[in-house]
Amino acid sequence: MPKVNGASLLRGLIGTAGLLVVLEAAGRLGAWDTERLPLVSTVLLRAGELLTDPEFLVSARSSLTTWALALLVTIAIAVPAGLLLGMVKPAELAVRPLIEFLRPIPSVALIPLVILLYSETTHMRITVAVYAALWPVLINTIYGVRDVDPLAKETLRSFGFGPGSVAYRVVLPGAAPFIATGIRLAASVAIVLVVTSELIAGGIEGIGVYITIAASGNRLDLMIGATILVGLFGILVNAVLVAGENRLFRWHRARAGAAT
Amino acid sequence: MLELVDLSHTYGSYRAIDRVNLKVAQGEVVCIVGPSGCGKSTLLRSIAGLIKPTGGTVLLDGKPVDGSPENLAVVFQDYSRSLYPWMSAVANVGLPLRRRGLDKKRRDAAAMAALEQVGLAGAAAKFPWEMSGGMQQRVSIARALAYQPKLLLMDEPFGSVDAQTREELEDLTLRVCAHHGMTILLITHDVDESVYVGDRVVVLSKAPGTVVGDLPVQLPGPRDQIHTRELDAFVRLRAEVGRLVRGMTPHRNTHGFGVETR
Ligand SMILES: Nc1ncnc2c1ncn2[C@@H]1O[C@H](COP(=O)(O)OP(=O)(O)O)[C@@H](O)[C@H]1O
Ligand SMILES: [Mg+2]
């Protein structure tokens, strides 16, 4: 699990602020036509204003809902499937070639097909996001299940617990740190694909749609402002999930630390 | 209570144990000693139902064992792998009690009582990775005790702790098991330990393991790490077991305790 400490965070903030100041200065000194490409300060101001702009908020809420649903569907499919494939070796061997074939297919390439299949845009977007987000969760879950110590399982079996109890009480908690990492990766991937599908396939609501409309009105300040907000949301989600992992899986870090 | 009849197991074409016959009476502490790799763990895993032996039968109270028997607990050598790192000591100890149909309150109470018996009442809320090796093995022992099995299997339980802790844990095991009237099958490769802990020492030959000696241990109780180990009877018995483990011919009955070879 990546660790964020105060010093590295501070250095990152200083670096970012420095870059922004340089860009702002360059813009003000006439490095580019600020009528076309707005100043850093203008973009940041717009981004702040967007947070209270009802039109933007409707789009943001739509994207957020799509993203959350996509993540839920991903977890509901990939975690049970990963547990099954991780525990039942023959099943994994049978499905492995299919996974290796499907996994490298870019989800974006499926958008035209998915558009034809779905009349409802939300379903279409969820499908596209789930297709991409599924893999990290699935692969991590399989890997996590493999990593569970056989002796930990045997101990419970020796007390007379059946395979279901062993799966629930040992395999699932033992694999949980890996599953959580998979979910964190999936959360980022899903953000990218929700916005991408909104940009490519259009629709009525969604941040991608908002950006497309801003572009057609030549409002680069709004486009970049909205994009920055998406990026910040990604950072926030990641930070929250990392913090959750560090809290919940202290035992995993302690053990990994002791082993190395 | 436990009877092994011609118990054999082969991994692929490798024969790990070969027709092991053994009878253990209720309340007995039997030590099984044998050289490394002679199939001791295989024997234990067959009894615990963790592997299906390729030949022979395991009878518990006269009934053949199929799968993991009720009323049996195992303490493994590898405490750090056998305890659940995501659970506190008290949760680890209480987990098997779910099989007993106890509610959380009673599970916790029983787990606390067992931790107290092994001297870990103060560490109940600690996680395994916050404990020393000796403490972790105490937790495993407490887990087995709380379950109150009729038969306790221990596979080199003190093989991974320092000498001092090892002696403490040997005495602890003797004490609490006598208190519970449990039947114990303790596996070890340490001749000294087998004589010190056992009411009976069963010697396995080199692979494929089979019973080559079955010696009653007649030492005055209660046993004591210093005095018991310096008794003539202890020293002679230890030598006898040592010879058997190394595959030498035993000195038949020359020292006044029964040496039975098969
Ligand atoms: N799962 C297994 N597959 C194949 N061989 C095994 C397996 N487990 C143990 N063995 C072999 O069987 C022999 C006896 O092993 P084991 O019962 O662990 O011995 P001990 O506990 O007396 O040291 C060893 O030679 C070991 O390599
Ligand atoms: Mg062994």
Side-chain angles (χ1 to χ4, degrees):
Chain A
M1 270 167 258
K3 251 173 82 176
V4 183
N5 61 39
S8 68
L9 189 67
L10 187 66
R11 239 174 285 151
L13 285 177
I14 291 173
T16 312
L19 183 64
L20 292 180
V21 168
V22 170
L23 285 176
E24 175 75 15
R28 284 188 187 273
L29 292 173
W32 64 80
D33 175 10
T34 50
E35 286 299 307
R36 283 191 50 86
L37 184 62
L39 285 170
V40 170
S41 54
T42 317
V43 170
L44 291 179
L45 192 67
R46 260 338 142 254
E49 286 168 2
L50 282 177
L51 288 175
T52 53
D53 174 2
E55 195 195 331
F56 176 81
L57 287 181
V58 167
S59 275
R61 192 173 309 121
S62 159
S63 296
L64 203 61
T65 311
T66 312
W67 171 78
L69 286 173
L71 202 54
L72 281 179
V73 172
T74 300
I75 294 168
I77 297 173
V79 172
L83 288 175
L84 183 77
L85 295 182
M87 282 187 287
V88 187
K89 186 85 190 169
E92 205 257 322
L93 289 176
V95 179
R96 190 96 224 175
L98 187 66
I99 293 179
E100 294 306 332
F101 169 70
L102 292 176
R103 196 156 67 111
I105 298 177
S107 203
V108 180
L110 295 177
I111 292 179
L113 174 67
V114 180
I115 289 176
L116 291 180
L117 294 179
Y118 291 95
S119 51
E120 224 274 309
T121 45
T122 309
H123 292 174
M124 183 277 284
R125 290 169 185 169
I126 290 175
T127 307
V128 171
V130 167
Y131 186 88
L134 209 57
W135 308 113
V137 182
L138 185 69
I139 305 290
N140 269 274
T141 305
I142 295 175
Y143 185 78
V145 169
R146 290 277 162 69
D147 193 63
V148 174
D149 199 303
L151 193 64
K153 292 187 264 183
E154 284 189 341
T155 300
L156 211 59
R157 272 176 59 205
S158 72
F159 282 108
F161 287 78
S165 300
V166 173
Y168 177 65
R169 303 205 178 276
V170 180
V171 178
L172 187 59
F178 295 88
I179 299 177
T181 304
I183 291 175
R184 174 158 52 83
L185 299 175
S188 300
V189 170
I191 293 175
V192 172
L193 278 136
V194 166
V195 176
T196 306
S197 66
E198 289 165 352
L199 282 169
I200 295 183
I204 312 161
E205 288 169 353
I207 291 194
V209 178
Y210 184 90
I211 291 174
T212 311
I213 293 171
S216 63
N218 231 341
R219 293 292 303 271
L220 269 72
D221 54 340
L222 292 180
M223 283 175 73
I224 302 173
T227 309
I228 286 175
L229 289 179
V230 173
L232 287 178
F233 177 69
I235 292 175
L236 179 74
V237 167
N238 194 63
V240 167
L241 291 180
V242 166
E245 283 171 53
N246 286 344
R247 223 184 119 81
L248 274 175
F249 304 126
R250 231 160 23 111
W251 62 267
H252 189 248
R253 252 204 357 224
R255 224 159 59 135
T260 49
Chain B
M1 67 152 329
L2 172 70
E3 189 175 353
L4 310 181
V5 185
D6 283 337
L7 192 66
S8 308
H9 190 74
T10 43
Y11 294 107
S13 63
Y14 180 80
R15 179 153 282 241
I17 49 172
D18 189 27
R19 278 164 298 164
V20 173
N21 287 284
L22 184 68
K23 268 188 187 169
V24 179
Q26 175 74 45
E28 245 185 331
V29 178
V30 175
C31 287
I32 296 191
V33 62
S36 196
C38 75
K40 300 184 296 295
S41 296
T42 304
L43 183 70
L44 176 132
R45 293 153 62 81
S46 303
I47 300 171
L50 294 172
I51 53 175
K52 205 170 157 47
T54 49
T57 28
V58 178
L59 299 167
L60 255 176
D61 293 324
K63 288 186 285 284
V65 165
D66 181 28
S68 278
E70 290 286 324
N71 282 321
L72 177 142
V74 184
V75 173
F76 292 98
Q77 173 176 357
D78 247 321
Y79 43 77
S80 63
R81 294 170 52 208
S82 161
L83 293 174
Y84 302 114
W86 54 88
M87 288 182 176
S88 65
V90 69
N92 264 287
V93 174
L95 177 62
L97 297 175
R98 288 177 177 277
R99 292 280 302 156
R100 298 274 190 242
L102 300 180
D103 59 34
K104 168 131 176 63
K105 230 173 113 185
R106 290 173 58 202
R107 284 203 306 269
D108 283 350
M112 277 309 297
L115 283 171
E116 220 156 281
Q117 280 190 310
V118 301
L120 281 184
K126 284 202 165 147
F127 287 83
W129 39 272
E130 298 172 318
M131 298 179 164
S132 69
M135 287 167 86
Q136 291 182 43
Q137 193 58 305
R138 276 170 202 266
V139 175
S140 320
I141 293 171
R143 179 167 63 183
L145 291 178
Y147 192 66
Q148 301 200 334
K150 283 176 68 186
L151 176 62
L152 174 61
L153 304 178
M154 305 178 97
D155 191 356
E156 309 208 21
F158 317 129
S160 305
V161 294
D162 60 87
Q164 167 113 35
T165 309
R166 178 188 190 109
E167 293 186 354
E168 278 171 30
L169 292 179
E170 285 169 0
D171 288 337
L172 171 80
T173 306
L174 282 176
R175 198 169 64 238
V176 289
C177 293
H179 177 75
H180 288 279
M182 255 178 233
T183 310
I184 303 181
L185 202 66
L186 184 143
I187 283 172
T188 176
H189 65 260
D190 183 325
V191 173
D192 240 70
E193 180 169 275
S194 69
V195 177
Y196 181 74
V197 177
D199 295 328
R200 218 174 115 198
V201 177
V202 173
V203 183
L204 290 187
S205 65
K206 307 204 285 279
T210 192
V211 177
V212 292
D214 190 338
L215 299 80
V217 180
Q218 276 140 6
L219 295 170
R223 294 185 191 179
D224 172 284
Q225 289 288 354
I226 306 294
H227 297 107
T228 301
R229 285 180 199 271
E230 64 187 11
L231 293 173
D232 283 347
F234 180 89
V235 174
R236 280 198 302 266
L237 194 49
R238 182 177 60 188
E240 199 65 61
V241 174
R243 266 191 285 276
L244 285 167
V245 168
R246 284 166 187 77
M248 300 181 201
T249 35
H251 288 202
R252 252 178 188 282
N253 269 345
T254 46
H255 303 299
F257 34 74
V259 177
E260 191 187 309
T261 49
R262 290 178 191 172

